Amino acid sequence: MTLPAPAPESPAATTAPDAPPVLPPLAAQAEVLIGRGVVPPESLSPAALRAAAADLARTAPAGSLLVVHPRLLPPSALAGHLRRQAAVRGRPVEREGFVVVDMTDVDDFAPVPGLDVPDADVYAVAAVDRGDAMANWSPEEAEPAIAARGRSPLTLAEGIHWVLQSPDALARNLCFMTIGSRLRRANGTYDARTPAVWISNGTGRDGSARRGAPKVGWCWWRNRHTWLGFASTAGRHA
């Protein structure tokens, strides 16, 4: 367990949400999911996905993120579709995303109570923000600050969808946590692990072959990390 860092600045003193990488139109995002075989056709047909994207494009704000509900496309299935260009000995190499080995229960991290995840096979997430202004905050500190701004933390599935559509959402020293998803124990308390999406350094159990790869992992609820912000949204639409 790391020692606590100095207290972060007051939430009231932080800046407005950071500008995220520009997302393509929802119809184009649907084609990415279809073309790369992300969504199994037995779970959701290409026609149904295209139709859902077209419907959402009429009502969701421009720049929204297209998300397939995790009951059809759980994080464990999504993570392997992530891609990122890394440099190895001066040459570009494409790395595949992965889930850390000590998170075999990744799909059990569910939306926290009160989170407004639509009960729809496909929905849109508006104004996604990486939360760079909250880097070096703990999840415990960030949660009320996000709510005070009238925003909602991203779930892990939403965060992976974002990186899938916009790999530049991850950058060295600028990655993010998805505290809208947590694991509740049988006794009703929360597991202290909190999911995040960042870039592997290829050390330890990750292995050197994964250096530079998009990584789905976790950090402790009360720990701070200078390179992790807190991804959030202005609202979800179905």
Side-chain angles (χ1 to χ4, degrees):
M1 181 77 66
T2 61
L3 293 174
E9 64 177 309
S10 166
T14 55
T15 59
D18 308 291
V22 176
L23 283 163
L26 295 177
Q29 294 181 49
E31 293 306 321
V32 168
L33 298 178
I34 294 166
R36 289 172 56 178
V38 176
V39 186
E42 61 271 20
S43 298
L44 185 69
S45 72
L49 180 56
R50 290 185 176 110
D55 287 343
L56 288 165
R58 300 185 187 100
T59 57
S64 292
L65 171 68
L66 190 70
V67 174
V68 177
H69 199 285
R71 65 178 171 236
L72 301 180
L73 195 56
S76 62
L78 267 175
H81 291 282
L82 296 177
R83 297 290 184 273
R84 185 176 181 273
Q85 293 294 322
V88 177
R89 297 191 179 95
R91 296 183 180 180
V93 176
E94 185 176 76
R95 297 297 202 204
E96 295 182 0
F98 68 100
V99 179
V100 294
V101 297
D102 55 354
M103 204 176 182
T104 55
D105 52 1
V106 63
D107 294 337
D108 295 329
F109 284 73
V112 297
L115 207 70
D116 57 340
V117 174
D119 185 20
D121 288 347
V122 185
Y123 63 95
V125 177
V128 180
D129 168 51
R130 193 166 56 196
D132 297 347
M134 285 189 242
N136 207 35
W137 291 37
S138 71
E140 185 177 47
E141 294 160 338
E143 183 181 53
I146 292 171
R149 296 171 184 176
R151 295 178 64 83
S152 175
L154 287 196
T155 66
L156 177 56
E158 292 165 352
I160 300 174
H161 271 282
W162 188 23
V163 178
L164 192 152
Q165 295 288 352
S166 184
D168 289 343
L170 291 185
R172 282 289 177 190
N173 300 315
L174 290 171
C175 301
F176 60 87
M177 300 195 72
T178 56
I179 63 174
S181 295
R182 296 197 68 187
L183 176 62
R184 191 182 288 275
R185 300 189 186 99
N187 64 4
T189 63
Y190 282 117
D191 192 299
R193 292 174 299 163
T194 313
V197 187
W198 73 92
I199 300 168
S200 173
N201 285 328
T203 57
R205 289 178 293 182
D206 289 359
S208 60
R210 285 174 165 164
R211 179 175 175 79
K215 173 179 178 177
V216 175
W218 58 270
C219 300
W220 298 117
W221 176 250
R222 289 177 174 158
N223 278 15
R224 304 185 184 115
H225 299 275
T226 59
W227 41 275
L228 285 176
F230 293 85
S232 66
T233 173
R236 299 171 177 87
H237 303 263

